[in-house]
Amino acid sequence: MLRLEGHGNAGDSCFCGLAAPVFRCRDCFGMRMLCNQCVLHSHASNPLHRIDMWSNSYFQHTSLKQIGLCMQLGHNPGKICYNPHPSTGDDFIVIDVHGIHEITLDFCGCASSQVHYKQLLHARWYPATTSEPRTAATFSLLEHFHLLSFESKVSTYEFYQSLVRRNNHAGLLPIRVCSWYV
Ligand SMILES: [Zn+2]
Ligand SMILES: [Zn+2]
Ligand SMILES: [Zn+2]
């Protein structure tokens, strides 16, 4: 447990040899540390993982959005869309089993693209609205809540508060949902 508080055997350089390894994912297996580009590359298919950044003597929370990840809908992960349409507002809120995430999201505007809410459903994210969606819940979160509500009678409010604590257990950070903070 003490070892996990530090950066372990991370050397001066990431395995790519291009930059210092200062990022570690809390949701990936293992405790390998990566540089900015490598952590973005390895999370093209996992945009909702929680990232910590080594800051001289301790880890501080950051996010894939803060270090430059932009999620693209309508194409396979890692593929480029030549007609990206940014979501309305600065960011998009995704509620997942890991917590509540602010991400940068681009919809696809190519000729064969679907309307925005369908692009979200194709990614297994359930939109809060059909018109200009800015919030979605993952299918896995909805399934998790469905089972919990049957087995443990957890209330929606208590379930939501437990999700808030996954990102912000000490209550020090404002958590954004839709366009307001809680
Ligand atoms: Zn990860
Ligand atoms: Zn690297
Ligand atoms: Zn496209």
Side-chain angles (χ1 to χ4, degrees):
M1 296 298 281
L2 285 172
R3 182 180 171 80
L4 293 172
E5 296 287 321
H7 60 52
N9 292 332
D12 295 332
S13 176
C14 179
F15 75 94
C16 67
L18 300 177
V22 292
F23 297 101
R24 190 166 77 188
C25 180
R26 277 193 276 164
D27 300 312
C28 281
F29 176 76
M31 53 184 293
R32 184 163 78 161
M33 293 191 60
L34 299 168
C35 73
N36 197 325
Q37 284 307 312
C38 289
V39 81
L40 291 179
H41 183 72
S42 64
H43 284 85
S45 299
N46 292 303
L48 305 180
H49 279 189
R50 297 166 299 166
I51 306 294
D52 287 336
M53 181 174 71
W54 182 249
S55 179
N56 294 323
S57 58
Y58 64 96
F59 280 106
Q60 67 180 60
H61 295 339
T62 182
S63 68
L64 288 164
K65 178 194 170 193
Q66 284 176 309
I67 61 176
L69 186 75
C70 179
M71 187 66 193
Q72 175 66 55
L73 294 181
H75 298 266
N76 287 328
K79 298 292 182 190
I80 294 173
C81 175
Y82 292 101
N83 296 291
H85 286 191
S87 59
T88 308
D90 292 339
D91 39 45
F92 192 91
I93 308 296
V94 182
I95 309 171
D96 185 34
V97 181
H98 291 306
I100 300 167
H101 308 270
E102 290 179 34
I103 66 167
T104 306
L105 180 75
D106 283 349
F107 293 98
C108 172
C110 297
S112 60
S113 65
Q114 298 280 352
V115 293
H116 291 182
Y117 77 87
K118 282 190 183 175
Q119 291 186 35
L120 289 164
L121 288 169
H122 288 180
R124 287 180 287 189
W125 290 357
Y126 197 90
T129 59
T130 52
S131 166
E132 295 191 25
R134 296 173 63 183
T135 305
T138 61
F139 281 17
S140 83
L141 174 91
L142 297 175
E143 184 183 10
H144 188 60
F145 176 65
H146 193 205
L147 292 172
L148 265 182
S149 65
F150 286 147
E151 293 288 345
S152 69
K153 306 291 180 283
V154 66
S155 74
T156 311
Y157 177 78
E158 288 164 337
F159 182 67
Y160 169 74
Q161 289 300 327
S162 68
L163 291 175
V164 169
R165 287 185 179 279
R166 290 217 65 176
N167 288 79
N168 178 28
H169 190 53
L172 300 176
L173 302 170
I175 299 292
R176 244 184 99 181
V177 173
C178 296
S179 56
W180 61 83
Y181 289 93
V182 296

